[in-house]
Amino acid sequence: MADRFLAHLPIGEPPTPFAGGIAGWEIFPFTGDLQIKTLEPAVVPEPPRNGEQSTDDCFVCRDPHGPAVWSDDRWILRHTGGPTAIPAVVLLSPRGHHDFDDLPADLGAELFPLMQRVERAILAVGGVARVHIAKIGDGARHLHWWFMGRPEGLLQLRGSCLDLWDDILPKQPEDQWRAVLREIAETLAADGGTVH
């Protein structure tokens, strides 16, 4: 069934860039002669993601408190392990081992209001124009929503390349990064939960 989505692709060779594609956008972080990688053949079935086979191999379940920023009895907000270039990058996950497709209805009902709280907490640190929210899920089965705060005024960092810019730009000082995480956690904890 997946073949119908692969037949038009140049497997085994570098694709020709789409003339109106992201490489021409003002937010694209690269310039010059870039080489596009050769498109590799599909791997079907796909290898299991982290936590796919059991909770024993799930990095969230194995280490339920680290690197926690804030948590309550059902949710945990974690950081990525070290300073970021942009003001904040945090991940929201249920404590239970669920993905989006099997998230119990009661947790689902809590999710949107909690996502709003996280966004508001990131905006409250000041100097953040927008909060990008993403659910990708290719690396792990344990549901995790990414929250990325874009620095106010840096219009070049708008849009879908924000995470690339975070990888490229110099990281903020660790003490500042930790202070921002603490502010986010304290804002969330004002409505419940624990600061870590």
Side-chain angles (χ1 to χ4, degrees), residues 4 28 30 44 59 69 84-85 92 150 159 167 178 194:
R4 68 180 174 152
F28 190 63
F30 305 104
V44 179
F59 66 88
V69 174
T84 55
L92 178 66
R150 179 178 62 78
D167 282 343
R178 290 191 180 283
T194 304

Side-chain angles (χ1 to χ4, degrees), residues 115-186:
M115 291 173 74
Q116 287 180 311
R117 284 177 59 199
V118 173
E119 177 169 349
R120 289 181 190 131
I122 293 170
L123 291 170
V125 302
V128 175
R130 301 281 180 272
V131 178
H132 296 206
I133 303 171
K135 179 224 170 268
I136 301 164
D138 278 336
R141 187 194 180 286
H142 199 122
L143 176 61
H144 53 288
W145 290 89
W146 291 80
F147 291 77
M148 297 169 276
R150 179 178 62 78
E152 186 173 19
L154 287 183
L155 300 181
Q156 199 172 0
L157 274 60
R158 290 176 299 169
S160 55
C161 292
L162 182 62
D163 57 337
L164 292 175
W165 282 108
D166 185 55
D167 282 343
I168 296 165
L169 295 172
K171 305 306 180 206
Q172 61 186 302
E174 185 163 352
D175 58 339
Q176 176 178 298
W177 171 72
R178 290 191 180 283
V180 168
L181 293 177
R182 184 155 204 65
E183 289 176 46
I184 292 168
E186 287 172 350

Side-chain angles (χ1 to χ4, degrees), residues 97-119:
H97 188 73
H98 304 288
D99 206 346
F100 198 50
D101 63 345
D102 70 352
L103 190 68
D106 60 332
L107 287 175
E110 294 173 9
L111 181 58
F112 188 72
L114 184 53
M115 291 173 74
Q116 287 180 311
R117 284 177 59 199
V118 173
E119 177 169 349

Side-chain angles (χ1 to χ4, degrees), residues 3 57 63 95 109 111 118 127:
D3 289 348
D57 68 338
D63 190 9
R95 285 198 173 274
L111 181 58
V118 173

